Amino acid sequence: MNRLIPLFAFVMLLVACGANEPSVGEKEAAIYREYAEKVKTAQSIEDIAQLQNEGGFEQRITELAPEWRALISGNDSSAYYAELAKSQPAKDSLKALTDAKLAEFIKNLKFE
């Protein structure tokens, strides 16, 4: 029994230290929110295109793929969908923002 107490304390310490790191869904949501902030400042369609080409956001999202795959254990994908629920609102918000910005830019185009 006396040997289990230090072992239990060590395991709890490891769990507590790892608990501060954001989950993969939180990481992905943060990337989408960062991208949305940059889209908000876009002044033209070209600005949005440049963000898409040079922002590195897609690469950062792709780098999370191993963490996403690790969430699926055998046939159980509940952890995957739980994390997906954390990032989906940020994705939806970015899409709505981008659509609105593009619609605004297109509306303001002057055709001669």
Side-chain angles (χ1 to χ4, degrees):
M1 180 71 171
N2 288 340
R3 292 180 190 168
L4 291 178
I5 293 173
L7 179 61
F8 180 75
F10 179 74
V11 169
M12 292 306 294
L13 178 63
L14 288 177
V15 170
C17 289
N20 292 335
E21 184 176 327
S23 67
V24 67
E26 293 165 341
K27 289 176 190 176
E28 186 174 78
I31 293 169
Y32 280 109
R33 284 191 300 271
E34 178 185 337
Y35 187 70
E37 287 301 314
K38 293 188 183 252
V39 168
K40 284 180 186 177
T41 64
Q43 299 296 312
S44 67
I45 293 172
E46 291 82 13
D47 289 348
I48 293 176
Q50 185 174 1
L51 281 172
Q52 289 176 339
N53 292 333
E54 299 174 4
F57 294 101
E58 192 169 320
Q59 178 183 353
R60 290 169 54 202
I61 296 293
T62 302
E63 289 171 355
L64 295 174
E67 289 182 61
W68 281 108
R69 284 192 298 272
L71 293 173
I72 300 174
S73 175
N75 291 331
D76 183 13
S77 57
S78 58
Y80 173 86
Y81 287 106
E83 286 301 308
L84 189 61
K86 293 178 183 178
S87 65
Q88 195 60 48
K91 289 178 190 177
D92 294 343
S93 177
L94 173 62
K95 182 177 180 351
L97 174 65
T98 303
D99 290 348
K101 276 286 200 177
L102 290 174
E104 175 189 330
F105 295 148
I106 290 169
K107 184 178 118 182
N108 291 330
L109 285 176
K110 295 184 175 147
F111 296 100
E112 294 181 26

